[in-house]
Amino acid sequence: MMDVFSQWLEWFPNLLPGLIVSLQLTGLSLLFGFPFGLLLAVMATAKFAPFQWISFFFVEIGRGLPALVLLYLMYFSLPDAGIILNSFTTAVIALSWNTGAYASEYFRAGLAAVPLGQKEAALTSGLRGWTGFRHIILPQALRISTPPLAGLAVLIFQGSALAFVIAVPELMSKASEIGSITFEYLNVYVLTAVIYGSLTLVFLALVRVLEWRLGRHLQRN
Amino acid sequence: MSRIPRTLVRALSAGTAAGLLAISLAACGGSDSAGVSADCTPAHKDLKTVTPGELTVASYDFAPATVLNGDSLSGMEGDLINEIAKLECLKVTVNSSGGAGAVISSVQTKRVDIGSGNWLRTKARTKIVYLSTPLWSDPQAVVSTQGLTSDDLAGHVVGSTSGNLWNDSMQKWLGDKFKVYQDDESLFADLKAGRIEAALQGAASAQYKLKQNPIDGAQVINVKPNPNVPEFGAVGQVMLPSSLENEAFGKALDEDIEKLRKDGTIKTILEKYGIDPAAGEPGAPSEL
């Protein structure tokens, strides 16, 4: 057992740069993906049909294709069209698209779940259009959407491992590299699982605290 | 929005996924159909394999070392494995699921008898798997369209595949300009696209790849010793990994390989794939 821990200590400094890349990749994918998802959700509910079609296209492709296929398509097919993006940029775009497509459905459900009375209250308060949406509807929709969006964020963090197929030096890529040199695949993958699992649990704990804070008003009678 | 287009797109997405799954399944596993005659006498009696009567091989496409053609395995190592199977009266069964990353794990967990795919003998690997006696030596090379040598790599974007022994040294030397790929196809695709300026690769594999898919102006130049990359100073020896727990199998494999070296089979195989037959005399076993 001590041997395993000493190996983990030896490998961790080599995995750390990969972990930082994974976190950067996840952070950027969520940073672009969530607003993109919100935009798609709003467009999907718009009365203007072309907006609905654009939203439909991005959501169905983003959800219909596995993230791995999106990564391959964007990385290896775009150079044929004269567009050469580096691997990190490609991964951010593909994962953002994937994030946006799923997030849009959660946002759409959140927007639909806001009681009609709230919309009427916004109107009677003189908060019309974008102002009413931003101050009354959106905060409530975001609160409803927070738990599934947190789950999506975890999935995207774990899904960032797929970027190793296009040479992004993320955590899984570094682990695979160590495994292929030492052949200690099992040990290094267990360490990688511990890292992914620990960060996920910490993140989910923070989300629970956030949910509790957002929902405090509902607990007061 | 009408229901029909939405249903259509979903059906297409599901169809795409099903198609990809079918392709993946087709690529996974399979067996060499070479029959074994009833009166065949094995070179080593009572040889224990994972599946009696079969020599199960974990492999992936890594031409010219390993070439997967449907259910059969060819290439330098593939041909040699088929010869070994003949000596032992075994039927070759190939397991290619999981690619390069799954080869060693499959050997370790005794899902297969041997792994294949240009694995080199190293000290670290002796603790994990039984390293067969060397098959041949494996000189390394720089592939570029600018005629770069191993001394010219500083300042250039260079790629290599996962598992190459020099990756750590190269990362320290070139930093962010060094990229590690999971397979040769991605490496050469990026060299062609211009995302990288040079690829570090086994000379034999590089020449074979360029012959199959030429890149304008690409040259293959063997590496020279370099203080930044000590691994360039030693030529690796290719081996077939097997389970440490079945040492009798490993020893039998060693004897078969030496027999095939002595009768000239190894040199013939190397010549068949355009490799200098001198590589077939790698000397005494050593570890990097």
Side-chain angles (χ1 to χ4, degrees):
Chain A
M1 197 63 189
M2 288 308 290
D3 283 351
V4 171
F5 284 124
S6 62
Q7 279 180 326
W8 285 11
L9 284 174
E10 186 189 330
W11 293 333
F12 190 74
N14 292 332
L15 292 176
L16 197 57
L19 175 61
I20 292 168
V21 172
S22 292
L23 291 172
Q24 287 172 336
L25 188 55
T26 308
L28 287 171
S29 300
L30 298 180
L31 186 70
F32 295 123
F34 280 169
F36 181 49
L38 182 59
L39 179 69
L40 291 174
V42 172
M43 286 170 79
T45 52
K47 288 175 184 162
F48 187 49
F51 281 173
Q52 289 182 23
W53 278 102
I54 292 168
S55 170
F56 179 70
F57 170 79
F58 280 105
V59 170
E60 291 305 323
I61 298 285
R63 292 195 317 163
L65 294 182
L68 184 64
V69 176
L70 262 183
L71 281 166
Y72 269 129
L73 282 176
M74 295 186 79
Y75 193 70
F76 293 113
S77 303
L78 287 181
D80 290 340
I83 302 167
I84 299 175
L85 302 171
N86 69 38
S87 50
F88 187 80
T89 308
T90 309
V92 169
I93 294 171
L95 290 179
S96 296
W97 187 347
N98 203 233
T99 307
Y102 279 100
S104 77
E105 295 297 291
Y106 301 144
F107 283 127
R108 210 151 61 94
L111 289 169
V114 176
L116 194 62
Q118 294 292 316
K119 292 168 190 168
E120 287 166 354
L123 287 172
T124 52
S125 306
L127 298 171
R128 291 175 182 279
W130 168 245
T131 311
F133 178 78
R134 188 160 65 94
H135 291 291
I136 305 293
I137 310 299
L138 187 59
Q140 296 183 65
L142 287 180
R143 191 180 299 134
I144 296 165
S145 310
T146 298
L149 287 175
L152 178 61
V154 168
L155 285 177
I156 295 299
F157 172 53
Q158 291 164 353
S160 68
L162 295 171
F164 88 109
V165 299
I166 58 166
V168 176
E170 48 68 62
L171 180 58
M172 195 61 199
S173 158
K174 294 285 179 190
S176 167
E177 181 67 14
I178 292 171
S180 62
I181 298 290
T182 62
F183 281 8
E184 297 272 9
Y185 284 100
L186 179 63
N187 285 351
V188 75
Y189 286 151
V190 169
L191 173 59
T192 311
V194 168
I195 295 171
Y196 274 117
S198 309
L199 285 174
T200 299
L201 290 176
V202 169
F203 175 75
L204 288 176
L206 290 173
V207 169
R208 280 201 191 97
V209 171
L210 178 69
E211 278 175 37
W212 178 76
R213 289 179 71 91
L214 289 172
R216 262 190 307 189
H217 67 290
L218 298 173
Q219 292 155 14
R220 289 186 198 133
N221 291 315
Chain B
M1 187 181 303
S2 81
R3 193 160 184 81
I4 293 170
R6 190 183 286 269
T7 309
L8 184 65
V9 172
R10 284 193 177 138
L12 284 172
S13 301
T16 307
L20 287 167
L21 184 64
I23 291 165
S24 305
L25 288 173
C28 294
S31 64
D32 188 69
S33 55
V36 179
S37 66
D39 57 349
C40 181
T41 309
H44 296 85
K45 281 185 180 173
D46 306 322
L47 195 64
K48 282 185 185 163
T49 57
V50 171
T51 307
E54 292 184 14
L55 181 64
T56 320
V57 187
S59 190
Y60 63 102
D61 218 32
F62 191 73
T66 47
V67 181
L68 301 177
N69 296 315
D71 291 347
S72 68
L73 182 64
S74 60
M76 292 147 62
E77 282 181 39
D79 286 3
L80 185 64
I81 288 166
N82 289 328
E83 292 297 328
I84 291 168
K86 274 185 208 163
L87 287 176
E88 300 297 347
C89 306
L90 297 170
K91 173 176 168 285
V92 175
T93 303
V94 184
N95 181 349
S96 62
S97 54
V103 170
I104 301 305
S105 309
S106 299
V107 172
Q108 265 182 295
T109 52
K110 288 176 275 182
R111 288 196 186 95
V112 298
D113 297 302
I114 51 173
S116 176
N118 211 60
W119 300 100
L120 299 183
R121 294 177 58 92
T122 70
K123 288 188 184 77
R125 291 170 179 178
T126 56
K127 298 173 202 157
I128 309 298
V129 286
Y130 183 92
L131 315 182
S132 79
T133 197
L135 313 181
W136 40 72
S137 55
D138 181 43
Q140 310 304 323
V142 178
V143 190
S144 74
T145 54
Q146 304 167 43
L148 298 174
T149 69
S150 51
D151 289 338
D152 304 329
L153 297 177
H156 294 280
V157 184
V158 180
S160 174
T161 41
S162 177
N164 284 327
L165 300 173
W166 55 75
N167 286 358
D168 200 31
S169 302
M170 287 296 299
Q171 194 85 61
K172 284 175 188 147
W173 185 26
L174 302 186
D176 290 345
K177 289 189 177 258
F178 183 67
K179 298 177 73 176
V180 179
Y181 294 81
Q182 297 304 310
D183 54 61
D184 270 5
E185 283 66 31
S186 307
L187 176 71
F188 278 82
D190 266 12
L191 182 66
K192 193 170 187 177
R195 283 194 181 107
I196 57 171
E197 295 168 89
L200 282 173
Q201 184 59 278
S205 174
Q207 277 156 0
Y208 187 88
K209 286 273 175 210
L210 290 175
K211 204 172 168 185
Q212 301 292 314
N213 296 295
I215 298 174
D216 285 343
Q219 299 173 51
V220 181
I221 300 174
N222 282 13
V223 300
K224 288 185 288 183
N226 184 309
N228 294 300
V229 192
E231 294 83 1
F232 284 171
V235 176
Q237 295 177 330
V238 178
M239 55 88 185
L240 296 174
S242 60
S243 171
L244 273 176
E245 290 168 42
N246 191 355
E247 200 178 340
F249 177 87
K251 300 257 186 226
L253 198 62
D254 289 347
E255 287 172 19
D256 290 344
I257 292 166
E258 285 308 329
K259 185 175 181 182
L260 293 167
R261 193 188 319 282
K262 278 180 191 151
D263 70 12
T265 304
I266 287 183
K267 284 187 178 175
T268 307
I269 289 172
L270 291 174
E271 278 177 323
K272 178 181 167 187
Y273 290 94
I275 312 295
D276 183 355
E281 295 292 349
S286 64
E287 290 93 32
L288 294 173

